[in-house]
Amino acid sequence: MSVANVMKMVKENDIKFVDFRFTDTRGKEQHVTVPVSHFNEDKFTEGHAFDGSSIAGWKGIQASDMQLMPDASTANIDPFMDEPTLVLTCDVVDPTDGKGYERDPRSLAKRAEAYLKSTGLGDTAYFGPEPEFFIFDSIQWDVAMSGCSVRINSEEGAWASGEKFEGGNTGHRPGVKGGYFPVPPVDSLHDIRSAMCMTLEAMGVPVEVHHHEVATAGQCEIGTKFSTLTQRADWTQIQKYVILNTAHAYGKTATFMPKPFAGDNGSGMHVHQSVWKDGKNLFAGNGYAGLSEFALYYIGGIIKHAKALNAITNPGTNSYKRLVPHFEAPVKLAYSAKNRSASIRIPFVHGEKARRVEARFPDPIANPYLAFSALLMAGLDGVQNKIHPGEPATKDLYHLPAEEDAKIPTVCASLEEALAALDADREFLTKGGVFTNDWIDAYIALKMDEVNKVRMTPHPVEFGLYYSC
């Protein structure tokens, strides 16, 4: 969409406010709003000033002036605001040099796409994420010196069969690992997901499928179409916004937290990806599962750098409550066709254009701009250095004999381990100035604050283990 078309959109829809949005390091969208009287074509060239020092992990107070540069192609009308509001996704620009700020995730994603072209290896990288999420009726938690508590309220929860509800307990709900995927009334969230899909389509995000996921208590997935790296990250942010706000409008609450409760599946974000050049899919070939040598080397790069990638693709302490060996989580660093126990899967597809690989260890609290860029950089490093991933896995990796199990590497077991791996293995990310050492250092410091906060807080399970010792 051109700037002229945006201005036409403003007039035709009687827009009252314009919302400038950008994504912070943790992956949360931020926004600032101006009345339409203060919005014109100049905003697309002059930008909108804001204080970058107030964003966690960004510049200090001594260098805080930043510019939001709206991207006209992202224009959308917000479906949740009372007053007609136009939304524009922005790049963050450092006014001292007019370039994309090195810590701005969207600017970083654009650098990753530019780096791909500069290598001559390819000209387009496609990504297709599958973020899973939970919808609860309500959530309560408390963290205090006197103690900690959390309570998830879900009429769909397997634990709710003995509870009393206003209007009665219907008894129809998915059991543990029973959510994939019976029809309503067991699946009580069909209409909410359909509403989410309709809104996504209205905002330009093509929807391919929606369904209940494996876990009890409202685990869901909405499948949306693949696209180029930066646009697909933009769409992922729209998808999260729509899911969170639609649930809110229905009087419920949604979360992308990987492991909100114990005893059932957590939420992942499988990421499908491929690299193209001159309109040709470079992943298609005559090798294993129809893959090219290029694709195998790409897989080799992801496997080699997986532990460093974990810091970005699995960026929370909670991420590693999902990634636990022997509990049907994609922790084994191996690749396989169809086999969903491997961390890299090659989906069965019809035709060369659909050939792709699927990284199964990322989760949906990952910043999509950073996660997709990091996966691309790891894969390209594998291609550049001809890192072969070895033989494919043919067995169920969840239930291997101990000797075989010990031979296959795994992803990290904690965020602290992942951050140490990122610190030690960062060169593949800094090629072409896509990620910078300054960004990596700031990111590690930001995430170590989270590690230490959780590390210093007693957990209720510890009382059961140690209180009477």
Side-chain angles (χ1 to χ4, degrees), residues 139-143 149-151:
I139 179 81
Q140 300 162 273
W141 72 83
D142 183 51
V143 180
S149 65
V150 61
R151 179 71 181 177

Side-chain angles (χ1 to χ4, degrees), residues 51 53 58-65:
D51 178 8
S53 68
W58 284 20
K59 286 196 171 186
I61 195 70
Q62 74 281 2
S64 60
D65 290 341

Side-chain angles (χ1 to χ4, degrees), residues 209-441:
V209 66
H210 77 78
H211 58 84
H212 204 290
E213 259 296 345
V214 172
T216 189
Q219 190 182 39
C220 298
E221 182 178 316
I222 296 174
T224 52
K225 191 178 180 181
F226 71 92
S227 190
T228 53
L229 192 158
T230 301
Q231 184 176 67
R232 187 51 263 196
D234 288 344
W235 286 359
T236 302
Q237 294 299 76
I238 292 172
Q239 186 172 358
K240 286 187 172 184
Y241 181 75
V242 167
I243 288 169
L244 293 171
N245 282 280
T246 303
H248 189 74
Y250 272 76
K252 296 183 182 292
T253 178
T255 181
F256 292 92
M257 189 175 179
K259 195 74 173 179
F261 59 89
D264 212 334
N265 286 29
S267 292
M269 183 175 70
H270 306 153
V271 181
H272 298 252
Q273 51 208 288
S274 62
V275 177
W276 291 55
K277 185 175 183 180
D278 298 328
K280 181 182 178 181
N281 185 358
L282 300 180
F283 279 23
N286 299 316
Y288 174 76
L291 294 179
S292 64
E293 188 174 60
F294 184 107
L296 289 172
Y297 289 150
Y298 189 97
I299 292 170
I302 290 177
I303 289 176
K304 177 183 178 180
H305 299 296
K307 287 182 179 286
L309 287 172
N310 284 153
I312 297 169
T313 60
N314 308 88
T317 58
N318 184 256
S319 297
Y320 301 88
K321 289 178 169 32
R322 167 181 168 256
L323 295 177
V324 179
H326 311 300
F327 285 92
E328 296 190 14
V331 299
K332 288 296 182 181
L333 294 173
Y335 72 102
S336 181
K338 303 180 185 179
N339 187 345
R340 294 174 185 269
S341 64
S343 61
I344 306 291
R345 187 175 78 97
I346 298 92
F348 175 78
V349 297
H350 294 286
E352 293 186 350
K353 288 187 176 181
R355 194 72 62 202
R356 60 190 186 273
V357 302
E358 174 193 4
R360 295 177 63 81
F361 55 82
D363 66 55
I365 62 169
N367 182 322
Y369 300 100
L370 305 179
F372 302 164
S373 298
L375 286 164
L376 176 64
M377 297 300 287
L380 292 179
D381 185 68
V383 175
Q384 290 165 328
N385 292 290
K386 298 184 177 180
I387 302 169
H388 199 281
E391 294 301 312
T394 56
K395 297 182 179 180
D396 178 358
L397 300 178
Y398 295 147
H399 305 98
L400 288 175
E403 280 188 14
E404 292 184 48
D405 184 67
K407 294 178 182 177
I408 302 176
T410 64
V411 297
C412 291
S414 69
L415 179 57
E416 186 174 11
E417 180 188 350
L419 293 170
L422 174 62
D423 194 19
D425 179 22
R426 58 171 71 190
E427 187 177 345
F428 75 99
L429 292 170
T430 59
K431 290 180 180 178
V434 176
F435 292 79
T436 65
N437 283 309
D438 179 70
W439 182 93
I440 293 171
D441 291 340

